[in-house]
Amino acid sequence: VQETLPNQLEIIRLLSNMGEEEDIPFLTELAALENKQLRLEACRTLYALGEAGENSLRQLDLAMGGTLTPYVEHIKDPRN
């Protein structure tokens, strides 16, 4: 069953607090989607998972030709 967008976003947000390295493949798939909200939350959660998540995010960004760079810069900005 497909979850609504708000539910999907909330699930991703929960993973930023409770997620583990085994969630990284799932999150990288979401970060590669076209939906900007899902992409941002997946990137934010990957970044929150520490070094392994950050490395996966960098690799995905390289594979996507730098498409995720603006998202990562937004996440790193302390004003956000």
Side-chain angles (χ1 to χ4, degrees):
V1 174
Q2 184 75 12
E3 290 291 334
T4 64
L5 181 60
N7 285 350
Q8 291 176 8
L9 293 170
E10 192 59 35
I11 290 166
I12 297 167
R13 287 182 192 117
L14 288 171
L15 287 175
S16 70
N17 294 321
M18 301 170 26
E20 300 176 356
E21 284 188 32
E22 64 190 27
D23 297 315
I24 290 174
F26 169 70
L27 291 165
T28 55
E29 284 181 35
L30 293 176
L33 295 176
E34 293 295 322
N35 183 295
K36 292 179 182 181
Q37 290 176 300
L38 289 174
R39 182 179 282 181
L40 178 62
E41 288 305 322
C43 289
R44 188 184 318 270
T45 299
L46 281 165
Y47 192 78
L49 290 179
E51 188 175 336
E54 290 177 38
N55 288 337
S56 295
L57 192 53
R58 274 193 290 278
Q59 290 173 4
L60 181 59
D61 188 34
L62 286 173
M64 293 177 65
T67 305
L68 298 178
T69 300
Y71 294 87
V72 174
E73 293 304 317
H74 177 77
I75 293 163
K76 289 181 176 181
D77 189 330
R79 296 173 292 175
N80 298 317

